[in-house]
Amino acid sequence: MAGMSQQPTDGKIVVDGIDKQFRSGSGTVEALRDVNFAVEEGEFVCIIGSSGAGKTTLFRIIAGLEEATDGTVWLDGEPIEGPGTDRGMVFQEYGLFPWRTVLKNVTFGLEQRGLDKQARLERAREMIELVGLDGFEDSYPKELSGGMKQRVGIARALAVDPEILLMDEPFGSVDAQTKQRLHEELLDIWSATNKTVLFVTHDVDEAVTLADRVVVLTGSPGSVHEVVEIDLDRPRSRTDDAFAGYEQRLRDAIE
């Protein structure tokens, strides 16, 4: 990955001049062009944009699952060059192992890190309690609702104590009522853990509900059109005029 020799600006995560091109039989497709922004430690930042603006591609580059064509993503001053336990990931597809119980799904990452059994179980139970799934430790994914599955995914991501929580449209598959409840729970978890959260969504309402700041990607190739600070106290009410004003500002920016 090309890039500068040192992180160019302060921030927990610094996205520095990211370009991404894909080569196919019909030629080269440019997905991202010169994307730049920073995320401070403990901040909750949402990335939004229209379809084709490169949100998920950018997420995968920050996660270390995809390599940028040019530019660098920095984490604490070090370039990201692949996946790492410093980043916990939650996807729209739950990604749970159907043959493992809730408890065993949450201990999976801890097993990969070589923790002893007692330490794994204690940490997993702590995370299961944090996401409100006490009593479901021995349940299998097929026995859970969509919202419960996603909470297992969050518990699994948090179990390894990552510095960053990366979330790619994690609530896109649940109904509106469940989504609202998950928003409240996620903000409680964020407050309790002080994690830095980077959250990709196409839902403007969701971004205004959750974020300290919103990065708006537009165009094809995608680039940063605007970074909007959401200056509203939490919890936020969707019926407030100020909330509606931010929604409209973000919609106008996307369009």
Side-chain angles (χ1 to χ4, degrees):
M1 183 185 293
M4 300 174 65
S5 59
Q6 60 182 22
Q7 180 171 311
T9 188
D10 291 336
K12 182 73 172 177
I13 303 171
V14 176
V15 178
D16 173 27
I18 291 296
D19 296 342
K20 180 62 181 180
Q21 298 164 2
F22 294 98
R23 289 175 176 79
S24 66
S26 57
T28 300
V29 177
E30 192 176 11
L32 296 168
R33 179 185 294 169
D34 195 27
V35 176
N36 297 276
F37 65 91
V39 180
E40 300 300 326
E41 185 163 8
E43 194 174 22
F44 198 126
V45 171
C46 284
I47 300 173
I48 66 169
S50 57
S51 178
K55 300 184 298 295
T56 293
T57 298
L58 179 59
F59 173 91
R60 290 179 59 80
I61 291 170
I62 296 169
L65 302 172
E66 191 87 49
E67 188 172 346
T69 305
D70 198 9
T72 305
V73 180
W74 305 87
L75 175 56
D76 286 332
E78 297 294 328
I80 289 175
E81 296 178 338
T85 54
D86 48 12
R87 281 150 286 148
M89 288 175 273
V90 183
F91 301 94
Q92 182 173 342
E93 303 80 17
Y94 309 116
L96 303 181
F97 300 115
W99 59 89
R100 297 179 73 123
T101 63
V102 167
L103 183 65
K104 290 292 188 179
N105 265 284
V106 176
T107 61
F108 179 76
L110 300 171
E111 292 168 17
Q112 304 307 299
R113 297 184 69 174
L115 265 69
D116 67 75
K117 184 176 180 180
Q118 189 59 37
R120 291 199 306 265
L121 293 175
E122 287 178 4
R123 176 66 177 173
R125 289 192 175 104
E126 181 185 346
M127 293 301 99
I128 289 168
E129 180 179 0
L130 181 67
V131 301
L133 286 176
D134 310 58
F136 291 92
E137 292 86 349
D138 297 326
S139 300
Y140 287 88
K142 67 181 181 181
E143 300 170 321
L144 306 177
S145 68
M148 294 169 76
K149 289 176 186 175
Q150 201 54 284
R151 284 188 295 211
V152 177
I154 294 169
R156 183 174 61 183
L158 289 172
V160 296
D161 197 22
E163 297 178 41
I164 313 289
L165 190 59
L166 301 175
M167 310 184 79
D168 186 14
E169 302 203 35
F171 307 143
S173 298
V174 299
D175 62 84
Q177 186 175 1
T178 301
K179 180 184 284 192
Q180 184 173 345
R181 187 166 66 250
L182 288 169
H183 287 164
E184 294 168 0
E185 292 170 357
L186 176 59
L187 289 171
D188 287 343
I189 291 166
W190 172 61
S191 178
T193 61
N194 298 311
K195 297 296 181 190
T196 305
V197 179
L198 194 56
F199 187 108
V200 175
T201 180
H202 68 277
D203 185 338
V204 168
D205 178 279
E206 184 166 61
V208 178
T209 298
L210 296 174
D212 293 318
R213 290 187 300 135
V214 179
V215 177
V216 182
L217 292 182
T218 59
S220 183
S223 60
V224 177
H225 175 76
E226 187 177 5
V227 179
V228 178
E229 181 177 356
I230 309 297
D231 188 17
L232 296 173
D233 292 336
R234 295 184 176 91
R236 295 170 180 169
S237 171
R238 292 169 172 81
T239 60
D240 285 351
D241 290 344
F243 190 102
Y246 279 114
E247 282 188 304
Q248 190 58 53
R249 179 176 173 183
L250 292 176
R251 288 196 179 93
D252 289 345
I254 291 170
E255 293 170 3

